Amino acid sequence: MRRLKWLIVVIVAGALLLAAAAFASGDIRWRLHLLGEKAGGKYPEATWGEFLRMLAPSSGIWLEDLSRWDTLYPIVTNPYRSSADRDAGKKLFAANCGTCHGADALGGGVGPSLKGRISPRTESDWSAFRTVRYGIAGTPMTGLALNWQDTWRLAGFVRSMVVAEDATQAAQVVAVSPVTSERLRNAQQTPQDWLTYGGDLTGSRYSALTQITPQNAQRLRVAWVSQPMTDYRRFEATPLVADGRMYVSYPPSNVVALDAATGKVLWTHSGSIPADMPGAGSYKVSRGVALLDDKVFLATLDCKIKALDAATGKVLWQHTVASYKDGYSFTSAPLAIDGMVVIGNAGGDYATRGFVVALDATDGKERWRFETIPKPGEPNADSWSGDSWKIGGAAAWQVGSYDAELKRVYWGIGNPAPDHFGEIRRGDNLYANTLVALDGATGKLVWHYQFTPHDLHDWDSTQVPVLALGGGRERILFANRNGFLYSIERATGKFEWAKAFVKQTWLESMSPEGRPTRRKEAVPSLEGTVIYPSVEGGTNWWPPAYDASRDVFYVPYMERASMYYLGQEEEPEQAKLYMLGSSKGVSGELFYTGIRAFRAADGELLWEQRNAQRDDIPETNGLVATGGGVVFGADLDRVFAVDAASGKEVWQFMSGGRISAAPMSYAVNGKQYVAITAQRVIMVFELPPE
């Protein structure tokens, strides 16, 4: 009875302490859930004292995903892993274990050498900790009465010995260096790496690698595949590669690190999403990660930014920047710039107010936040009628670009809410459907250009802004969902020109300043109105590619119409779709997707590649252009390559699963590879030896 009372006191005290500590970090719920599971008999491999210590936010051990694994062994990572900790662990070993195993753990006559001696008692950090603390029953090895930190230090040294052979082999294959801000700024000088979602900070999706050409592309074969364990069917991520190590995110909020030459798994980070998550969590996608210094940054569906150790996958910090309960989420890759990680929210089809936020890469503290809808008293607040600005959407759900010289962040902003019922939000609705230039240090608005004022068609302007330099002019190329290709002066935001790149029936005219006038009949109606392009757009999140050496812009496109319907006015509800209308394809209409190549100087069409017609699945995928004169793309379950000069298809591969991602290219040990995620598989291609 006394023991039961003591246990209740421990649980209550621990819950109160954890609640107080975790409240500030916004992670109280999962900690209390784990306490309940422990009280119910789970996790017997840890005492209550150990369990509470690991749950503490300052422990350096992250247990958020424990419920998914049901055991501590694959989850717990040693929080004391510095070189000083390893040196201290070696001294502790010599003092406490050296008599049997030798001071250097290479054997001492009584005990065996531990080098490379992996066993169930040392195969994970937690098993090694327990072996050090409790010993091995039935053997001369007894537990050691060390404090918490020294127990971990000693266990860490033991682990370094038992996995020494594997670690040495991995180090020979993958030599990882910090991805500094300077490396990111000069990414085009190291084409063997693919350091950002767009390949570089300009969003060009261009690789200077030249091994694969139109002449030999037909010889491409599968080099390796990897199938991360997930319950979700749709991968949308672009892998990143630095120094031969690949990092890929996959749903719901997971990351895997792989040897980029072989596909060997180096580490995984498993993230979960709350069971009660509404809103944009229904999309359940993750389009990639960001790299900076020694960290991998992941934006999660439940609005967290996580910094992972690039070497181990260990969570270094995490910060919650919005509430998923209000319909917010993150689905895109972050953008890492000058000591910060920048991300924009998803959830623009809900009664939300969008934002772009920058966090300090070192500790996760918020550096600045740009609200995509101005509030009363701020410039352009009068572009929203009444209080509609409070819940006007304008999400910034795709990744932006960065000009390292001007130190400006360029970001495309999404549609206003409600999507189709404009009477509620009269006005231009800035900064929805707008390209914004933000000061990289402060997040303050420098200039803006709005593509589609008072959008009624859900034509997000979240496409990747591509910073182009050709013909001596610095400009931004922007293939917009509304069906037009734009050229915008980079420094000032001045409109240069716009040309339709797909069929469109909504525009009547465009002023010299680039302000469009919509045809009066091109609006949603109760009976439905047929308008080109479709609600999915002439293009969408599918990223384009830009080859500066040719000054050619390659755009994935879709020729399709939608029937746009006007809904009834309704009061908005938290975390429920706020569209007040709908759209669907035109019955019986066949449509097609493909690639169109444009001269970047003036938007002249150079060539097009067209995929087969179909009547369903209105989507396609992004591109990568290469120095070998090949552009890679994908459509449905087909990966393909076309000649960059003519658009002629030179290779294809049937993936066996739906592709919803963009390809990229990298090199390891002088060999060029092309990678793409397909359904639940990461696929990598190579040229065979001559």
Side-chain angles (χ1 to χ4, degrees):
M1 188 67 177
R2 180 178 299 175
R3 185 176 181 182
L4 178 60
K5 289 182 178 178
W6 178 87
L7 180 59
I8 293 173
V9 169
V10 169
I11 294 173
V12 173
L16 291 174
L17 287 172
L18 286 174
F23 182 79
S25 64
D27 295 304
I28 183 173
R29 178 175 299 183
W30 64 264
R31 286 185 168 91
L32 292 177
H33 175 73
L34 290 179
L35 281 174
E37 290 189 329
K38 175 69 173 169
K42 294 185 71 173
Y43 317 122
E45 63 270 25
T47 67
W48 268 104
E50 292 166 346
F51 197 72
L52 290 172
R53 191 154 193 169
M54 288 188 288
L55 275 181
S58 60
S59 71
I61 299 172
W62 206 253
L63 300 183
E64 182 180 8
D65 305 318
L66 180 57
S67 292
R68 183 176 180 183
W69 292 87
D70 289 327
T71 176
L72 288 160
Y73 289 101
I75 290 295
V76 175
T77 57
N78 190 340
Y80 301 99
R81 304 173 68 97
S82 70
S83 57
D85 288 323
R86 287 194 296 272
D87 291 342
K90 185 175 182 179
K91 292 178 181 178
L92 287 165
F93 188 92
N96 294 277
C97 314
T99 302
C100 293
H101 293 282
D104 53 5
L106 296 178
V110 178
S113 168
L114 297 184
K115 186 174 182 179
R117 191 181 178 88
I118 298 178
S119 74
R121 298 182 184 90
T122 59
E123 65 183 0
S124 71
D125 285 1
W126 184 239
S127 58
F129 177 92
R130 287 182 54 79
T131 299
V132 169
R133 176 166 264 197
Y134 300 109
I136 302 175
T139 73
M141 182 174 173
T142 59
L144 299 175
L146 301 174
N147 63 37
W148 179 261
Q149 186 175 14
D150 283 347
T151 303
W152 274 117
R153 285 169 165 170
L154 179 50
F157 174 72
V158 171
R159 284 278 292 155
S160 73
M161 292 301 296
V162 301
V163 300
E165 293 179 356
D166 287 343
T168 300
Q169 181 181 10
Q172 291 173 350
V173 175
V174 181
V176 179
S177 301
V179 178
T180 62
S181 294
E182 183 178 4
R183 281 186 70 180
L184 290 174
R185 288 193 296 268
N186 299 303
Q188 293 180 350
Q189 298 177 15
T190 56
Q192 69 273 16
D193 297 324
W194 188 273
L195 299 179
T196 74
Y197 177 81
D200 56 44
L201 295 176
T202 71
S204 68
R205 299 196 73 86
Y206 174 78
S207 169
L209 297 174
T210 60
Q211 284 185 358
I212 302 172
T213 68
Q215 290 71 40
N216 64 22
Q218 74 276 6
R219 299 175 54 237
L220 283 166
R221 67 179 187 183
V222 174
W224 56 264
V225 299
S226 179
Q227 302 183 62
M229 185 176 67
T230 179
D231 297 328
Y232 301 92
R233 66 174 180 83
R234 187 181 178 108
F235 279 24
E236 290 192 6
T238 294
L240 302 191
V241 171
D243 304 301
R245 179 174 287 203
M246 177 181 287
Y247 306 91
V248 190
S249 67
Y250 58 98
S253 293
N254 304 336
V255 182
V256 61
L258 306 159
D259 183 312
T262 66
K264 178 183 177 181
V265 175
L266 304 176
W267 55 258
T268 59
H269 167 76
S270 298
S272 58
I273 58 174
D276 62 343
M277 184 170 179
S282 60
Y283 299 125
K284 296 184 176 67
V285 298
S286 176
R287 296 192 182 91
V289 296
L291 303 176
L292 183 61
D293 297 327
D294 57 354
K295 300 179 184 68
V296 179
F297 296 96
L298 172 71
T300 71
L301 284 168
D302 55 343
C303 301
K304 293 183 177 71
I305 306 297
K306 292 183 178 180
L308 311 178
D309 186 314
T312 65
K314 173 187 173 183
V315 178
L316 300 176
W317 57 257
Q318 74 171 9
H319 183 62
T320 301
V321 297
S323 172
Y324 69 83
K325 292 185 177 182
D326 293 329
Y328 290 100
S329 69
F330 292 131
T331 57
S332 78
L335 180 69
I337 61 166
D338 292 342
M340 293 180 287
V341 57
V342 186
I343 188 71
N345 76 289
D349 294 333
Y350 299 81
T352 57
R353 181 173 175 236
F355 62 87
V356 181
V357 64
L359 306 183
D360 190 290
T362 302
D363 55 18
K365 292 182 179 178
E366 188 168 315
R367 295 269 289 270
W368 55 256
R369 183 180 293 232
F370 173 75
E371 304 284 357
T372 61
I373 302 176
K375 61 185 177 183
E378 295 178 342
N380 298 306
D382 59 357
S383 66
W384 296 82
S385 59
D387 289 335
S388 61
W389 64 275
K390 294 180 179 179
I391 50 174
W397 55 267
Q398 180 59 306
V399 70
S401 303
Y402 183 62
D403 187 322
E405 292 186 5
L406 293 175
K407 295 191 180 301
R408 288 182 187 170
V409 173
Y410 300 96
W411 217 277
I413 310 302
N415 63 277
D419 296 42
H420 304 297
F421 200 104
E423 188 64 23
I424 290 176
R425 48 172 176 83
R426 294 186 299 277
D428 284 352
N429 306 138
L430 288 164
Y431 299 99
N433 304 92
T434 298
L435 175 63
V436 296
L438 308 177
D439 182 279
T442 65
K444 291 184 178 179
L445 182 68
V446 179
W447 57 255
H448 70 277
Y449 171 77
Q450 189 173 39
F451 300 99
T452 314
H454 194 67
D455 176 30
L456 300 173
H457 307 101
D458 194 11
W459 286 336
D460 295 90
S461 293
T462 51
Q463 294 69 54
V464 176
V466 178
L467 311 189
L469 179 61
R473 301 202 334 269
E474 292 187 341
R475 60 198 185 282
I476 298 174
L477 298 174
F478 202 105
N480 196 278
R481 188 164 168 174
N482 68 13
F484 281 81
L485 173 63
Y486 294 81
S487 179
I488 309 294
E489 189 176 277
R490 195 188 310 178
T492 65
K494 179 182 177 182
F495 169 81
E496 293 188 333
W497 51 260
K499 293 188 177 181
F501 66 92
V502 294
K503 181 178 179 180
Q504 68 84 21
T505 59
W506 69 273
L507 183 78
E508 182 171 294
S509 64
M510 187 172 293
S511 75
E513 296 75 31
R515 181 177 177 85
T517 298
R518 183 189 296 109
R519 294 174 57 225
K520 292 181 180 180
E521 63 272 23
V523 295
S525 60
L526 293 176
E527 63 276 11
T529 306
V530 177
I531 303 171
Y532 284 87
S534 69
V535 70
E536 295 83 12
T539 192
N540 203 293
W541 66 267
W542 324 309
Y546 171 66
D547 184 342
S549 66
R550 300 170 183 265
D551 201 28
V552 175
F553 192 45
Y554 305 96
V555 179
Y557 74 92
M558 182 167 64
E559 288 272 10
R560 185 175 186 257
S562 277
M563 184 80 77
Y564 292 87
Y565 294 91
L566 183 65
Q568 301 293 328
E569 183 174 353
E570 296 177 5
E571 288 296 317
E573 295 183 43
Q574 183 188 43
K576 294 191 71 173
L577 284 172
Y578 186 47
M579 301 182 73
L580 306 192
S582 62
S583 61
K584 67 177 184 179
V586 178
S587 179
E589 180 193 48
L590 297 177
F591 65 93
Y592 56 89
T593 64
I595 305 171
R596 285 181 174 150
F598 299 92
R599 189 165 62 197
D602 56 11
E604 179 183 343
L605 179 65
L606 301 176
W607 55 257
E608 74 170 302
Q609 170 267 352
R610 183 179 296 189
N611 298 312
Q613 283 188 317
R614 57 181 185 264
D615 60 3
D616 62 353
I617 313 178
E619 62 181 39
T620 188
N621 300 288
L623 309 173
V624 61
T626 67
V630 178
V631 176
F632 290 92
D635 190 68
L636 299 182
D637 57 354
R638 189 173 70 96
V639 193
F640 59 83
V642 301
D643 187 322
S646 65
K648 178 183 177 182
E649 187 171 297
V650 294
W651 171 81
Q652 70 166 342
F653 181 86
M654 302 304 293
S655 67
R658 178 76 58 78
I659 302 172
S660 303
M664 50 79 75
S665 189
Y666 66 95
V668 179
N669 298 325
K671 174 179 282 191
Q672 183 179 358
Y673 298 88
V674 175
I676 194 168
T677 54
Q679 203 144 335
R680 297 175 180 170
V681 178
I682 303 163
M683 308 188 72
V684 178
F685 302 93
E686 66 178 358
L687 290 173
E690 293 285 353

